Amino acid sequence: MDSAKMKVLLRDSFCLAIEQSLGESPKECMQKLSQGYISSLAFSCEGDKFTLYVVSTLQFLQHISSVMLFDDEPSEEVLQDISKELANLVAGVAKVSANKNSVAFGIATPLFVGAGGFRAPFNDFYHFEYGQNLYCSLYWIRH
């Protein structure tokens, strides 16, 4: 899959995953996250291997916890789980979309990378805002 199609697939997958989970779609924005809760997920598409990184603000993860888990004060462990599940949701929606178009797409188990600065290499990205001041960035690299 060429870079432009991959970019659209990941953008649309993130937006759909958030809309299905939280009730409304995020908006693209210019707020680049270089700090936050970071999860990663390896995936393959048509034989090419990628790593997706999801960088989320604490406030975004707390909002997801409040809406989906009815937990307004999530523990650190819950925040880490939500971070991983966010990567899993994006990749899962991308896989369903790719498979509908007869495109081979595989995903691995998401990993929590850590909370702090994001420094991994990447080829492309998207930045999103949900509501007001809730941010998340996607970064990915083709290996």
Side-chain angles (χ1 to χ4, degrees):
M1 179 175 287
D2 70 34
S3 296
K5 287 181 182 176
M6 179 59 68
K7 188 167 183 155
V8 170
L9 176 64
L10 291 174
R11 179 199 63 206
D12 292 351
S13 296
F14 179 82
C15 290
L16 184 57
I18 296 302
E19 184 176 344
Q20 289 174 342
S21 300
L22 302 179
E24 63 183 270
S25 189
K27 307 278 188 266
E28 289 180 50
C29 71
M30 300 302 291
Q31 180 67 35
K32 174 185 174 184
L33 288 183
S34 57
Q35 298 248 8
Y37 283 74
I38 307 161
S39 57
S40 70
L41 187 142
F43 70 95
S44 62
C45 184
E46 297 184 318
D48 292 324
K49 295 181 186 220
F50 297 85
T51 301
L52 170 68
Y53 296 94
V54 179
V55 182
S56 305
T57 61
L58 170 63
Q59 295 80 5
F60 184 58
L61 297 178
Q62 288 173 326
H63 180 73
I64 292 171
S65 176
S66 179
V67 172
M68 295 182 69
L69 304 176
F70 307 105
D71 183 356
D72 292 334
E73 296 181 22
S75 67
E76 185 66 23
E77 182 179 348
V78 169
L79 292 168
Q80 291 175 16
D81 286 345
I82 292 170
S83 177
K84 290 187 297 186
E85 185 56 27
L86 194 51
N88 199 46
L89 283 170
V90 173
V93 171
K95 180 177 180 165
V96 169
S97 179
N99 288 341
K100 282 181 183 176
N101 293 308
S102 300
V103 173
F105 197 100
I107 59 176
T109 303
L111 303 171
F112 181 69
V113 175
F118 174 72
R119 291 178 180 76
F122 60 91
N123 298 120
D124 219 334
F125 58 87
Y126 263 113
H127 310 299
F128 297 96
E129 180 177 21
Y130 181 83
Q132 204 167 28
N133 297 319
L134 302 174
Y135 298 101
C136 186
S137 290
L138 303 182
Y139 299 93
W140 59 95
I141 185 167
R142 181 185 308 233
H143 299 284

